[in-house]
């Protein structure tokens, strides 16, 4: 404001009016305008930067690498992230948010654990401890432009988190001095205890001074071993520190270095959660309760000067599977309860292997204002998603959307000046197809692109939990498709999905059952066992659960026509390889005829001479056409060089087999190429999915081919015609290319749809991302 104009304007005001004006000016400068919800804008992923591309642009190195915590230059154009396995920090140019570029890395002389940016410098917390009982660390100050270290500051122990104040006066470092989990029972206390270090930022980095804040004696559980985990600073320069293992929170005034308040993080009573680990029959069931569960918060972020939020990951005996909004006086303003558990189940990201532990495991939290709306971002480490909440009503957070990430999101960074959100996912294991990545999202005037499938509620008000979609079939009219899950849950279901909506709506689950003991009746038809590993009656019994549900490995589904009573055909892949002791045959490849309600009516077996060649990669797709069933085998069986296409005549009850010519392996990571699904096109023609078993930067073959079975004799090698290379479609969502394209269907309108199998959300190999992709009309 022009000062001369202001002087003239206020000269004629009364004292009361002048006071009111000054209050208004002070209020407007100190407090932001109220947050306003925006129904038209969402965050959508624009790109994923795989950290392995710092080693080589094509990511052909198997070196273990990671992005754990990420920060950005003040202009938001350069990302700097910690890479603990390689003892370095990495730099990424994000001037083009759709095409991030590797800028190289800088060794830290230790294990970088956290990072922040202040002016032209990145400040890196580095663990240099020679042992758990002799913790040590340092801060490394790095010039971002030159990517060179300019100063180092000694720390009194092992750092775990660093934060900077908005005004640039202070840094705060949580000195965790983490415990040795292999020592004794791994529980605290294990000395020396941790603390909080305050860095007074004045002058050149080499002149910055540190102060140590003692945090011992304030927590009840382990008063001598506070183990501070995470730190954040508000606009009043008050640091909030989580003491995770102590289930405690402390507030520290940075100017004085005093603990001004501390309090227990308390407990929650969870209901409608699943506390039973997979695998087991009957799927995920939100029917259990857990009383007095300690929150044990990890990541923390300020929402205002007087409120903050914690991600309640849990460590020793806690973890509330959610997040909490706190008032600065230690009272709870709001708690998520079971919301995150239900959310990840609704979108196919529920990790049932973690049901008995900490569920989705909220790891970190970040908050920022985008275009007038306050948002809170919660990272779920074991479900690999970011949950976005509108905080316009801080006492009642409103769920906005969910974002898919690469495996194990850890660091969350908001860059409002560029309308960007960046998430660092740390898990990296090329053999498991997991590549550590930086996920980049943009706040856009566009609908949310994810999820592509979400479920409705069951009768009890909890969502239908789903994942591992391994096959797809379209209804004869309308936009409905039917999916099926594979062997992951050991209790198979068919899903009715309406694709007319975005996201597609999973509306109904049909459990497959065998009340008439059709599976047990197969025992009388089994050939005499050739060896101890042969499929027998005991193995058959294992295919039916005590409640009558079935434990198959459905990999393909097709609607049964009215001529055969309607319902479904299911192709169940066999388990094991004939003659291989390490992988004994525990089930055969079988075709099941089901009623519309999922009851087993009929079972079709392969000829004995074909079963004798069984390998562990069998049935992958099924289609009914012209009085026949056509099944696709994934790969070649014993003594053969190509996978079979089996044709079963439903009237004559006889089999015929052709052979499919697979493309050669081209992935730099090796692996194999096989078939995944098959769909009838009419007139003897079929579309098949051919893919390699690679994902991310190693994926090379994800294709649709057309084959024609008309007039083909038994034993013929088929010709194929490429219809579509799916790699561009799989890259379009901006994430790492998903591996298993296992579902293919054509709607009555002629539109084609593909979907991937997320393997039941294995947090060591699969993020849970499911992409149901509409391909439109395809020629041929």
């Amino acid at each position: 404001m022009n000062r001369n104009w202001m002087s003239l304007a206020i000269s004629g005001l009364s004292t009361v009016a002048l006071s009111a004006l000054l209050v208004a000016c002070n209020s407007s400068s100190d407090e932001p305008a109220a947050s306003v919800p925006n129904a038209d804008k969402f965050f959508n992923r624009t790109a994923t930067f795989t950290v392995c591309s710092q080693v080589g642009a094509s990511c052909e190195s198997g070196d273990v690498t990671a992005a754990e915590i990420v920060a950005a230059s003040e202009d938001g154009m350069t990302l700097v992230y910690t890479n603990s396995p390689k003892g370095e920090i990495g730099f990424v140019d994000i001037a083009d948010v759709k095409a991030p570029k590797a800028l190289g890395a800088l060794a830290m002389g230790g294990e970088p654990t956290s990072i922040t940016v202040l002016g032209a410098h990145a400040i890196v917390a580095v663990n240099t401890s020679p042992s758990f009982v002799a913790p040590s660390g340092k801060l490394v100050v790095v010039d971002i432009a030159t990517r060179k270290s300019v100063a180092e500051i000694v720390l009194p122990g092992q750092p775990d988190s660093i934060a900077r104040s908005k005004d640039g006066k202070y840094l705060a470092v949580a000195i965790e001095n983490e415990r040795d989990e292999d020592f004794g029972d791994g529980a605290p206390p294990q000395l020396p205890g941790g603390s909080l270090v305050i860095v007074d930022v004045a002058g050149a980095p080499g002149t910055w001074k540190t102060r140590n804040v003692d945090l011992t004696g304030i927590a009840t559980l382990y008063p001598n071993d506070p183990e501070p985990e995470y730190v954040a600073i508000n606009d009043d320069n008050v640091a909030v520190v989580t003491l995770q293992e102590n289930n405690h929170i402390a507030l520290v005034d940075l100017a004085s270095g005093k603990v001004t308040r501390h309090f227990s993080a308390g407990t929650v009573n969870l209901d409608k959660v699943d506390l039973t680990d997979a695998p087991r029959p009957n799927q995920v069931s939100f029917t259990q309760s857990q009383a007095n569960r300690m929150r044990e918060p990890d990541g923390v972020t300020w929402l205002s000067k007087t409120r903050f939020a914690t991600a309640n990951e849990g460590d020793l005996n806690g973890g509330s599977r959610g997040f909490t909004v706190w008032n600065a006086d230690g009272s709870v303003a709001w708690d998520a309860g079971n919301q995150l558990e239900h959310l990840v189940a609704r979108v196919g990201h529920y990790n049932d292997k973690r049901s008995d532990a900490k569920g989705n495991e909220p790891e970190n939290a970040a908050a920022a204002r985008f275009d007038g709306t306050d948002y809170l971002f919660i990272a779920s480490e074991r479900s690999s998603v970011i949950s976005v909440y509108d905080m316009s009503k801080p006492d009642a957070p409103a769920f906005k959307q969910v974002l898919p990430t690469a495996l194990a999101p850890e660091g969350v960074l908001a860059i409002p000046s560029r309308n960007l959100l960046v998430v660092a996912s740390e898990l990296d294991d090329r053999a498991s197809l997991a590549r550590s990545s930086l996920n980049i999202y943009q706040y856009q005037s566009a609908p949310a692109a994810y999820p592509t499938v979400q479920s409705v509620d069951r009768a009890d008000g909890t969502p239908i939990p789903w994942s591992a979609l391994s096959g797809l079939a379209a209804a004869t009219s309308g936009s409905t498709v039917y999916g099926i899950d594979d062997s992951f849950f050991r209790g198979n279901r068919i899903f009715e999905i309406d694709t007319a909506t975005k996201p597609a709506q999973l509306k109904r689950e049909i459990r497959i059952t065998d009340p008439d003991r059709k599976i047990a009746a197969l025992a009388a038809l089994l050939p005499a066992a050739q060896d101890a590993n042969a499929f027998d009656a005991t193995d058959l019994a294992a295919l039916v659960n005590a409640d009558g549900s079935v434990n198959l490995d459905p990999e393909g589904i097709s609607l049964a026509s009215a001529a055969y009573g309607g319902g479904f055909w299911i192709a169940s892949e066999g388990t094991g390889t004939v003659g291989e002791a390490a992988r004994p045959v525990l089930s055969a490849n079988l075709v099941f005829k089901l009623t519309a309600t999922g009851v087993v009516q009929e079972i079709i077996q392969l000829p004995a001479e074909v079963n004798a060649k069984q390998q562990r990669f069998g049935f992958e797709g099924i289609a009914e056409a012209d009085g026949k069933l056509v099944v696709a085998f994934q790969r070649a069986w014993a003594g053969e060089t190509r996978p079979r296409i089996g044709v079963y005549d439903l009237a004559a009850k006889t089999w015929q087999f052709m052979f499919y010519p697979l493309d050669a392996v081209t992935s730099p990571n090796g692996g194999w190429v096989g078939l995944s699904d098959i769909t009838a096109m009419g007139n003897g023609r079929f579309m098949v999915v051919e893919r390699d078993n690679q994902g991310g930067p190693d994926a090379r073959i994800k294709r649709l081919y057309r084959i024609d079975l008309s007039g083909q004799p038994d034993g013929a090698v088929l010709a194929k015609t490429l219809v579509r290379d799916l790699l561009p479609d799989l890259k379009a969502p901006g994430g790492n290319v998903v591996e298993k394209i296992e579902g293919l269907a054509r709607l009555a309108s002629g539109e084609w749809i593909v979907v991937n199998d997320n393997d039941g959300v294995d947090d060591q190999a699969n993020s849970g991302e499911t992409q149901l992709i509409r391909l439109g009309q395809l020629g041929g």
Side-chain angles (χ1 to χ4, degrees):
M1 179 181 291
N2 182 285
R3 294 189 180 187
N4 292 331
W5 178 89
M6 184 175 182
S7 298
L8 289 171
I10 67 175
S11 61
L13 293 178
S14 67
T15 303
V16 173
L18 179 59
S19 298
L21 176 62
L22 292 174
V23 168
C25 290
N26 289 335
S27 175
S28 63
S29 63
D30 290 343
E31 298 295 335
S35 172
V36 179
N38 191 328
D40 299 321
K41 282 194 167 184
F42 291 85
F43 295 88
N44 283 313
R45 187 172 53 193
T46 61
T48 297
F49 176 84
T50 48
V51 178
C52 53
S53 61
Q54 291 278 25
V55 181
S58 60
C59 263
E60 295 184 17
S61 169
D63 291 356
V64 176
T65 184
E68 185 176 9
I69 303 298
V70 61
S73 57
E74 296 283 7
D75 63 3
M77 295 293 180
T78 303
L79 299 179
V80 194
Y81 61 89
T82 60
N83 186 337
S84 173
K86 295 187 76 68
E88 63 188 26
I89 58 172
F91 301 84
V92 181
D93 177 356
I94 58 166
D96 183 348
V97 297
K98 294 183 178 180
K101 298 177 182 178
L103 292 177
L106 178 66
M108 288 289 101
E111 175 199 9
T113 59
S114 189
I115 190 169
T116 190
V117 165
L118 182 58
H121 299 113
I123 299 94
V124 189
V126 180
N127 175 20
T128 59
S129 306
S131 68
F132 289 101
V133 296
S136 63
K138 62 182 179 180
L139 294 181
V140 179
V141 184
V142 177
D143 185 295
I144 297 173
T146 63
R147 299 194 289 278
K148 293 182 179 180
S149 173
V150 297
E152 292 191 359
I153 300 169
V154 176
L155 295 174
Q158 172 254 316
D160 195 50
S161 172
I162 186 171
R164 56 154 290 183
S165 63
K166 184 178 180 180
D167 61 14
K169 291 182 178 180
Y170 305 105
L171 300 170
V173 185
I175 304 297
E176 183 182 18
N177 290 350
E178 64 183 350
R179 69 191 188 281
D180 182 356
E181 296 185 10
D182 295 325
F183 177 76
D185 60 3
Q190 292 183 24
L191 302 183
S195 63
L196 182 75
V197 168
I198 300 170
V199 181
D200 295 307
V201 178
T207 66
W208 296 349
K209 304 298 182 183
T210 62
R211 292 176 282 143
N212 197 57
V213 180
D214 185 6
L215 297 177
T216 62
I218 64 173
T220 302
L221 294 176
Y222 311 106
N224 294 325
D225 189 9
E227 283 201 57
E229 188 81 20
Y230 211 89
V231 61
I233 304 172
N234 71 7
D235 289 357
D236 284 337
N237 289 337
V238 174
V240 57
V241 187
T242 57
L243 282 58
Q244 185 175 28
E245 289 79 3
N246 278 278
N247 196 40
H248 211 77
I249 297 170
L251 302 183
V252 178
D253 176 71
L254 297 181
S256 66
K258 302 294 185 182
V259 176
T260 57
R261 189 183 296 274
H262 65 89
F263 42 87
S264 169
T267 62
V268 296
N269 294 320
L270 294 172
D271 65 349
K272 292 187 177 181
V273 292
D274 188 338
L275 306 177
T276 307
D277 203 358
R280 43 81 194 276
N282 296 326
Q283 310 285 327
V284 176
S285 180
F286 294 120
T287 58
Q288 295 173 290
S289 299
Q290 194 170 51
N292 301 315
R293 183 72 168 178
M294 289 190 293
R295 289 186 172 91
E296 292 186 348
D298 188 349
V300 61
T301 185
W302 286 96
L303 304 172
S304 68
K305 292 181 179 180
T306 58
R307 278 201 175 99
F308 59 89
T310 57
N312 304 326
E313 177 199 26
D315 192 316
L316 295 170
N317 302 297
S320 72
R321 304 173 186 237
F323 65 96
T324 304
V325 177
W326 300 85
N327 296 312
D329 64 5
S331 60
V332 172
W334 187 85
D335 191 274
N338 60 24
Q339 273 198 20
L340 294 187
E341 292 286 90
H342 290 186
L343 166 65
V344 296
R346 189 180 303 283
V347 299
H349 280 256
Y350 188 84
N351 185 347
D352 198 24
K353 290 184 177 181
R354 302 293 299 176
S355 288
D356 65 338
K358 294 171 283 185
N360 72 91
E361 206 163 306
E363 172 78 17
N364 210 344
R369 172 167 289 197
F370 284 82
D371 196 19
T373 307
D374 292 336
Y375 290 110
L376 174 64
F377 309 94
I378 302 294
S380 293
E381 182 179 13
R382 302 293 185 168
S383 290
S384 296
V385 295
I386 300 294
S387 301
V388 184
Y389 279 78
D390 183 332
M391 301 301 292
S392 296
K393 295 181 179 179
D395 290 339
F399 172 70
K400 173 77 171 179
Q401 65 179 123
V402 64
L403 300 170
T405 74
L407 272 158
E410 179 85 14
V412 185
L413 172 70
I415 312 176
S417 63
R418 295 196 62 203
N419 278 331
L420 297 180
L421 176 73
V422 180
V423 176
S425 293
E426 65 176 331
L427 199 147
D428 192 80
D429 181 0
R430 191 185 188 198
S432 298
L433 311 186
R435 299 318 312 243
S436 177
S437 302
L438 294 172
N439 314 266
I440 303 173
Y441 313 88
Q442 188 175 54
Y443 192 50
Q444 304 171 337
S445 296
Y450 198 82
T452 60
V453 181
Q454 69 178 24
S455 66
V456 302
D457 285 344
R458 286 172 166 168
D460 65 359
T462 65
I464 297 174
W466 63 274
S467 63
L469 296 179
S470 60
L472 214 57
T476 55
S477 63
S479 57
T480 297
V481 297
Y482 294 91
I484 191 164
D485 60 11
D486 61 21
S487 61
F488 180 80
F489 293 105
R490 301 189 181 183
N492 306 115
R493 294 172 296 166
I494 296 169
F495 302 111
E496 180 182 319
I497 303 169
D498 182 2
T499 65
T501 62
K502 291 186 178 181
Q505 190 175 73
L506 193 155
K507 300 172 61 176
R508 185 164 66 110
E509 56 185 334
I510 304 169
R511 189 168 301 283
I512 302 175
T513 60
D514 185 25
D516 300 323
R517 296 178 56 80
K518 298 286 186 181
I519 294 176
L522 279 181
L525 304 176
L526 291 176
Q530 300 299 309
D531 58 57
N533 292 324
F535 182 55
D536 58 22
T538 301
D539 299 318
L540 275 176
L543 301 183
V544 182
N545 299 314
D547 64 353
S549 63
V550 300
N551 174 23
L552 308 174
D553 188 10
E555 295 289 347
I557 180 172
S558 177
L559 266 66
S561 63
Y564 303 101
F568 305 95
W569 300 103
I570 299 297
S572 180
E573 186 175 26
T575 302
T577 296
V578 170
E580 188 173 329
R583 289 193 176 98
V585 174
L586 299 179
S587 63
N589 291 264
L590 302 168
V591 173
F592 290 82
K593 171 63 172 61
L594 309 177
T595 68
T597 57
V599 174
V600 175
Q601 283 185 308
E602 180 186 356
I603 304 172
I604 300 170
Q605 300 186 75
L606 287 169
E609 64 272 17
V610 177
N611 276 332
K613 298 174 177 289
Q614 178 172 317
Q615 305 288 288
R616 61 187 179 88
F617 17 83
F619 286 172
E620 280 289 324
I622 187 169
E624 181 200 316
D626 304 321
K628 296 179 174 63
L629 296 177
V630 181
V631 294
F633 291 50
Q634 187 174 71
R635 295 162 64 192
W637 278 16
E640 299 171 348
T641 58
R642 299 180 178 91
R644 292 177 179 238
I645 300 291
V647 180
Y648 183 77
D649 188 307
L650 288 163
K653 299 186 183 302
T654 56
W655 283 96
Q656 179 187 9
F657 297 95
M658 297 90 170
F659 293 90
Y660 180 92
L662 290 171
D663 291 343
V665 172
T666 57
S667 172
N669 200 32
W672 50 259
V673 175
L675 298 178
S676 274
D677 205 359
I678 187 167
T679 299
M681 302 177 69
N683 299 317
R685 298 174 306 159
F686 295 82
M687 192 86 82
V688 296
V689 178
E690 185 175 342
R691 67 170 180 87
D692 57 21
N693 67 332
Q694 302 298 312
D698 283 319
R700 293 294 184 274
I701 296 175
K702 315 290 179 188
R703 297 167 183 163
L704 298 183
Y705 282 101
R706 184 179 68 248
I707 57 176
D708 192 337
L709 305 186
S710 302
Q712 295 292 339
D714 191 61
V717 176
L718 301 170
K720 64 181 184 179
T721 301
L722 178 65
V723 176
R724 192 178 186 103
D725 181 354
L726 294 175
L727 276 179
D729 301 295
L730 298 175
K731 291 177 180 179
N736 288 321
V737 173
V738 293
E739 176 208 355
K740 291 187 174 182
I741 303 302
E742 296 217 341
L744 172 68
R746 184 172 67 168
L747 299 178
S749 65
E751 180 184 13
W752 288 85
I753 294 175
V754 294
V755 72
N756 68 292
D757 174 1
N758 71 6
D759 272 344
V761 193
D762 181 344
D763 64 348
Q764 296 301 309
N766 199 304
S767 69
E769 182 167 342
T770 297
Q771 289 291 340
L772 186 145
I773 300 175
R774 296 165 170 83
L775 302 176
Q777 305 277 339
L778 298 179

